[in-house]
Amino acid sequence: MTQSLMNTDDILRGLLRWVEVDTPTGAIEALGQLQDMIAEELMPMGATLERIPGRDGMGDHLIARFAGGDGPGVLISSHIDTVCPPGSVALRRDGDHMHGPGIADMKGGAYLALCAIRNLLHDGGGLPGPVTMIFSSDEEIGSPTSHQMIQAEARRHGSVLVTEPSRQDQVVTFRKGRSKYTLDIHGQESHAGSAFHEGHSAILELARVIGKLEQVTDRDRGTTLNVGRVRGGTEPNVVAGHAACDIDLRFAENPVAGEVETMLKALQPEDPGVRFALSGEMEKPCMQRTPQIVEMFERARAINAQIDTPLEEMHSGGGSDGNFTAAAGVPTLDGLGVIGNAWHSPNEYLVISALARREFLLRGLIRSLAAEAPAG
């Protein structure tokens, strides 16, 4: 069946209705408002809708299920939460760039997925296999209340498509894993003048340990450790009784996560009057590049070839819900959303002229993968 490109202005007009609702993670009322809007668009399409109530200060998650033929089916995972504070990202057009809060990461991709399903249904003939769409509301903080739900839905399908953005005509076939930790350092306060030697400085011990932590980075193995935030002490004339640092670990091989955690737990202070307390864990395992994922990429490249658009394979150091679905053993292709850049910043934008061809790619992949799971 021949596919045609959508009108770009139609896509942009519909997407901007979503972007106008500012939905940072935890903004329960705004997230609920957008979920209501999405549900209103899905119901006339024949979707069976399930609203998962939010918990732990997070918004609801919306699941839309479409019946199909005997194929293995496909899950499309999108999130609608954003990062920047409400009102901090202006909705504006600058030539071929459209700026707005979460417009690329990833309301754009979520809306393209809805357009793709709508177009497949309008083409007639029905879906060759079941298709499920997830619109989650906590991905930007690691999906603490949604990742188990996403993994469970993924296991019911033959493959997963994730609509995170890309910077060019690309799709993501590999993502690094991530671990997050906090190292608390407990020392002993004392007067910095009259009783300096009675104190045990947590800040001094923090300075010593940061140098050890930085040695974990091994670019040849794809391992990076970043101490991204430090804090401690009370007043300049007080030896610090407490200090802490937050640690971000990225790894290209899952065993590295265990190796580094073992090392962190074994850290000992040089000052015997100081105590370490480590908290945290692996947040996301790697999204490994498997033969099935490579086969999905080849299908994507063939679809783009129909409109004479080369497609590149990309590896990413950032994580997504694709890490969770791939770890669940379900072949996953990521980075299928809009083309843009500067996400998580006041300058976040998408490329308007690329909208139609990215919807075309998603539509082709949904039809193909709903009918036949990737081999490999």
Side-chain angles (χ1 to χ4, degrees), residues 4-13 119 355-356 359:
S4 59
L5 290 173
M6 283 188 69
N7 181 281
T8 296
D9 291 335
D10 290 342
I11 299 174
L12 185 61
R13 189 180 305 112
N119 287 330
L355 288 172
E359 185 278 334

Side-chain angles (χ1 to χ4, degrees), residues 184-267:
D184 280 286
I185 302 175
H186 301 277
Q188 176 62 52
E189 287 189 349
S190 69
H191 193 287
S194 62
F196 179 81
H197 295 293
E198 295 177 11
H200 298 274
S201 174
I203 288 179
L204 177 58
E205 201 63 51
L206 174 61
R208 291 170 176 153
V209 80
I210 286 176
K212 299 174 184 177
L213 294 175
E214 294 294 335
Q215 294 175 21
V216 171
T217 294
D218 184 344
R219 294 186 178 182
D220 291 338
R221 293 187 72 184
T223 304
T224 58
L225 186 149
N226 182 61
V227 177
R229 181 168 53 189
V230 299
R231 53 205 175 275
T234 54
E235 298 293 338
N237 63 346
V238 178
V239 174
H242 176 261
C245 67
D246 296 326
I247 300 166
D248 180 289
L249 173 70
R250 307 291 172 123
F251 47 90
E253 304 167 0
N254 284 326
V256 170
E259 295 169 10
V260 174
E261 181 163 311
T262 298
M263 182 277 293
L264 292 174
K265 289 180 177 179
L267 284 172

